[in-house]
């Protein structure tokens, strides 16, 4: 092969590579949600997928893969072809799996694309308990240790969220009974029936029952009050530095090309910063916490460090 032909072929190959990179995405993108349709993760993903319309040239299709507390979906995306067309929509539950020995990986097994949506979380109480603030909770528990209980999905998000709150509020878990109980709806019903005192849950799940008078908000674990419960104080407003929102991050398989990740991240952040998107999220007790690149890496490291700290402090392990 002469030199001229070799140079021509090399230039053609480079041209094809450039066109391929610029063409991404040229088909629909699959966003995998590790939980069932209708749940908080699913709602967050579907609202945000709508926000992406007009900010990316292809459809973003939601696919629900359930089982093993999210692990089946996580592993499918982790092991997928790293081309940007199969992504994972996940909150800190994946990190909690590693911290408690339930799995052997966390966010570091993936290529983080962007963090966009935060679902507001809070601690609520049976309205008949007389607990409606951090101070009343402290007072009740101090006066009658062991008389009150909390329902949590052991080693799951609700467990870590309430432990972060109690730790920073100075309330010992030795003075409260912990009852294994998965599912927001299950915990809420148990509280309404008088079988549960404290319910850590997503604000959107609790709001109808606060408005009906069946639940009382103790503290919202966000940096601002929630749109649905504007009268409910945050933990910070009550002197407790506990913010434990459900942060949804989009992940690609490791080794996804940098230009593909950058293209996705730009679209994700543009959608998150769209005021119409923010309005839709607020209606569902969600807010925007947008980050990518080094900022996102720092956020993920800090969140995991706190999860690992809580797991060690409270000796959380596999069930």
């Amino acid at each position: 092969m002469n030199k001229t032909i070799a140079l021509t072929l090399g230039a053609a190959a480079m041209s094809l590579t450039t066109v391929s990179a610029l063409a991404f995405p040229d088909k629909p993108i699959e966003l995998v949600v590790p939980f069932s349709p209708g749940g908080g993760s699913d709602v967050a993903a579907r609202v945000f997928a709508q926000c992406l319309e007009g900010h990316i040239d292809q459809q973003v299709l939601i696919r629900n893969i359930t089982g093993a507390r999210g692990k089946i979906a996580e592993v499918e995306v982790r092991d997928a072809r790293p081309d940007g067309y199969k992504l994972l929509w996940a909150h800190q539950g994946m990190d909690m799996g590693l911290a408690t020995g339930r799995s052997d990986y966390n966010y570091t097994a993936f290529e983080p694309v962007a963090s966009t949506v935060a679902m507001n979380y809070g601690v609520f109480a049976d309205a008949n308990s007389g607990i409606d603030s951090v101070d009343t909770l402290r007072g009740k528990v101090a006066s009658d240790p062991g008389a009150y209980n909390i329902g949590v999905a052991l080693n799951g998000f609700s467990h870590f969220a309430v432990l972060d709150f109690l730790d920073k509020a100075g309330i010992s878990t030795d003075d409260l009974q912990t009852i294994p109980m998965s599912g927001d709806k299950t915990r809420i019903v148990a509280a309404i029936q008088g079988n549960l005192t404290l319910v850590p849950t997503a604000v959107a799940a609790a709001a109808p029952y606060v408005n009906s008078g069946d639940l009382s908000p103790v503290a919202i674990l966000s940096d601002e009050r929630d749109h649905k419960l504007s009268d409910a104080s945050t933990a910070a407003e009550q002197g407790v530095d506990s913010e434990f929102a459900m942060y949804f991050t989009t992940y690609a398989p490791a080794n996804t090309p940098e230009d593909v990740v950058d293209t996705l991240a730009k679209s994700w952040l543009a959608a998150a910063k769209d005021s119409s998107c923010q309005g839709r999220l607020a209606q569902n007790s969600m807010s925007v916490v947008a980050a990518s690149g080094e900022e996102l890496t720092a956020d993920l490291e800090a969140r995991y460090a706190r999860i690992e700290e809580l797991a060690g402090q409270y000796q959380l392990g596999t069930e």
Side-chain angles (χ1 to χ4, degrees):
M1 182 183 296
N2 66 41
K3 186 175 181 180
T4 301
I5 294 174
L7 288 171
T8 302
L9 290 173
M14 288 178 65
S15 176
L16 286 172
T17 301
T18 302
V19 169
S20 176
L22 292 175
F24 176 85
D26 61 4
K27 63 181 181 180
I29 294 167
E30 185 177 76
L31 185 59
V32 175
V33 177
F35 300 102
S36 301
S41 294
D42 179 69
V43 171
R46 290 181 188 277
V47 171
F48 192 71
Q50 292 175 356
C51 293
L52 284 165
E53 295 174 7
H55 294 287
I56 195 164
D57 293 335
Q58 290 289 333
Q59 281 185 296
V60 176
L61 305 176
I62 304 301
R63 180 185 172 199
N64 300 87
I65 301 178
T66 60
R69 297 179 75 168
K71 191 169 183 178
I72 293 175
E74 294 162 5
V75 170
E76 175 157 331
V77 176
R78 185 194 66 184
D79 297 343
R81 182 178 177 181
D83 57 10
Y85 288 103
K86 180 173 284 190
L87 307 172
L88 178 69
W89 179 263
H91 57 59
Q92 302 99 299
M94 180 165 61
D95 296 331
M96 293 163 187
L98 178 62
T100 59
R102 195 173 67 243
S103 68
D104 58 0
Y105 62 86
N106 69 350
Y107 74 91
T108 58
F110 299 81
E111 185 65 46
V113 173
S115 177
T116 49
V117 177
M119 179 170 284
N120 295 340
Y121 217 76
V123 179
F124 301 84
D126 168 15
N128 295 319
S129 67
I131 298 170
D132 58 5
S133 67
V134 174
D135 284 344
T136 56
L137 174 60
R138 283 196 189 107
K140 292 276 188 181
V141 172
S143 64
D144 200 356
Y148 301 96
N149 55 35
I150 318 166
V152 299
L154 286 178
N155 301 333
F157 193 94
S158 57
H159 199 181
F160 277 89
V162 79
L163 288 177
D164 183 79
F165 166 72
L166 293 172
D167 176 48
K168 291 176 178 176
I171 299 170
S172 173
T173 54
D174 292 338
D175 295 333
L176 289 160
Q177 299 178 53
T178 299
I179 299 176
M181 194 175 294
S182 297
D184 288 347
K185 186 70 176 292
T186 303
R187 291 191 291 271
I188 289 169
V189 170
I192 292 172
Q193 292 174 339
N195 298 320
L196 200 62
T197 311
L198 295 179
V199 182
T201 185
V203 173
Y209 303 96
V210 172
N211 293 330
S212 67
D214 292 303
L215 291 179
S216 297
V218 178
I220 306 301
L221 306 182
S222 303
D223 60 347
E224 295 181 356
R225 294 192 180 197
D226 186 271
H227 175 80
K228 287 181 178 289
L229 296 176
S230 57
D231 292 335
S233 300
T234 65
E237 287 178 300
Q238 300 178 71
V240 177
D241 182 25
S242 179
E243 291 182 15
F244 215 95
M246 192 174 275
Y247 295 106
F248 289 101
T249 300
T250 299
Y251 296 96
N255 300 316
T256 299
E258 184 178 347
D259 61 323
V260 170
V261 173
D262 287 346
T263 296
L264 290 167
K266 287 175 183 176
S267 297
W268 259 237
L269 295 185
K273 292 173 182 177
D274 189 316
S275 59
S276 63
C277 179
Q278 293 177 3
R280 271 186 263 179
L281 291 169
Q283 291 297 326
N284 289 275
S285 292
M286 292 180 276
S287 60
V288 167
V289 179
S292 65
E294 292 181 1
E295 181 183 3
L296 175 57
T297 298
D299 288 345
L300 294 172
E301 288 176 352
R303 289 171 197 158
Y304 184 69
R306 179 56 177 161
I307 287 166
E308 198 170 45
E309 180 182 14
L310 288 168
Q313 180 178 340
Y314 291 99
Q315 299 181 357
L316 303 184
T318 52
E319 298 171 40

